[in-house]
Every structure is written in C-alpha cells, then in structure tokens.
Amino acid sequence: MIAFKAFVRSKSKSAITDGTLELYDKDRMRLQGRLGPRALTVETAQELEAWLRSRTNSANSLQRWITSLNWLLRWKGVDYQARRPPKEPNLHPDIVPDQDYRTMLARIRDPMERVAVRLSHDSFWSPSDVGAIRAADVELPGKIAVVRIRRTKAAVVVAAVLERKRLHAL
C-alpha cells in the first residue's frame, strides 16, 4: 500500500506543503489510535466524525480534522466522506467604524500610505497583500482601476476595483 503522505500528495488537486502533510499525517495517527483494533468502516468513520465535532465548537478548527479524516477514508478505500462545516467569516482585523477610518485617513500625509490603507480597508486584503502590489498588477481600463494579485498566504488570484475618486491617489 502507498504511504499516506505520498497518497495525499499524489491525489491532491493543489500543491500541499510539507507542513500541511505532517499535520494530516499526525491527525491520521490520532484517528487510527482512536479506532484502536476496530476496522475503518462507514460506521466507525461516522463515529470518528461525531467525536471530532464534539471536540470543538469552531467550524474553522474542525476544517483540518475533517479534511484529515476524509484523506484517511480515501487512503483506506472507504466509500464515505465527512461533510466539512462552512468556514466562519474571517473579518479583517483592522475594520474600524467609518468615522474613525476617515479621521485616520486625514492624519496620513504620504499618498502611498493613504492608497495602502484605502486598499486594505476597501478590499479586506491583508497589509502583506497590499504591500506586494506591483505596477503590473494595476489596470486602468477607464473610470475604474482594477488591481489583480495573487494572495501571499492563500495563493489565489483576487481582484479589487477602485472608483475614479480613488484613482487620483495612484
């Protein structure tokens, strides 16, 4: 039988880091330890799923555990897949009330800093994503500006649209 980490790497639809593979493998060992001598079947998979759901109230914490369980099931050839909970919204930590935002913008004198704050506020991008914007990422097709980047952490392509009143700062 193919090793678990090699199986996950070969079947994954996107690149998986070595750290993520280590976490999945660690979770797999915990799940198999929880099973003990019992065979992995649909019924025992449902028991494991119920046990995982009883361990935490946070949907985001449960995501990795359910993913690990599903990889284990696929690896062992069990025809069952646990349903992952929907992710909770992960709001930008620097969201401020509108009046405080306008006061903060008024204090910023550097136009590039002002653009960075506006982009971060309007697009909900992290400061590292805003800092990674290059001139080639900005398109000016008319009355709007479109900024397309690859997110630094999630590695997905995202776009933000700026209105004409924001263009003067660029």
Side-chain angles (χ1 to χ4, degrees):
M1 176 176 269
I2 188 169
F4 179 75
K5 288 192 245 182
F7 174 82
V8 172
R9 193 177 296 276
S10 69
K11 298 291 183 184
S12 176
K13 293 178 182 166
S14 61
I16 293 183
T17 65
D18 291 337
T20 303
L21 276 177
E22 289 296 325
L23 289 172
Y24 288 163
D25 195 39
K26 192 167 140 182
D27 294 345
R28 173 195 60 89
M29 288 187 274
R30 286 181 184 156
L31 291 168
Q32 286 182 319
R34 177 85 179 162
L35 273 178
R38 298 180 296 165
L40 184 61
T41 63
V42 172
E43 291 80 24
T44 56
Q46 289 172 339
E47 286 177 29
L48 287 173
E49 182 182 1
W51 173 69
L52 290 175
R53 290 184 189 281
S54 71
R55 291 190 63 196
T56 182
N57 292 331
S58 170
N60 291 348
S61 298
L62 192 56
Q63 287 279 334
R64 189 189 90 216
W65 280 95
I66 295 293
T67 301
S68 299
L69 174 61
N70 286 336
W71 278 120
L72 174 62
L73 294 168
R74 282 183 68 189
W75 183 53
K76 292 291 188 177
V78 177
D79 189 27
Y80 177 75
Q81 185 169 3
R83 185 177 175 98
R84 291 190 320 182
K87 288 188 176 183
E88 296 169 348
N90 189 8
L91 299 177
H92 195 279
D94 296 329
I95 292 178
V96 295
D98 192 52
Q99 186 58 38
D100 294 344
Y101 169 67
R102 292 185 191 289
T103 304
M104 182 177 65
L105 267 184
R107 286 192 312 240
I108 299 173
R109 297 286 175 231
D110 182 18
M112 291 309 291
E113 286 181 30
R114 183 174 284 130
V115 169
V117 169
R118 283 184 169 163
L119 265 173
S120 183
H121 179 270
D122 295 347
S123 66
F124 299 109
W125 291 351
S126 67
S128 60
D129 289 332
V130 172
I133 295 174
R134 302 167 299 154
D137 298 330
V138 180
E139 297 175 22
L140 301 169
K143 295 184 178 185
I144 59 170
V146 178
V147 181
R148 286 188 180 85
I149 63 166
R150 181 176 295 273
R151 300 285 308 259
T152 52
K153 187 172 181 181
V156 296
V157 177
V158 293
V161 177
L162 295 175
E163 298 174 353
R164 186 163 189 78
K165 62 183 178 183
R166 306 245 195 261
L167 286 178
H168 74 281
L170 288 174

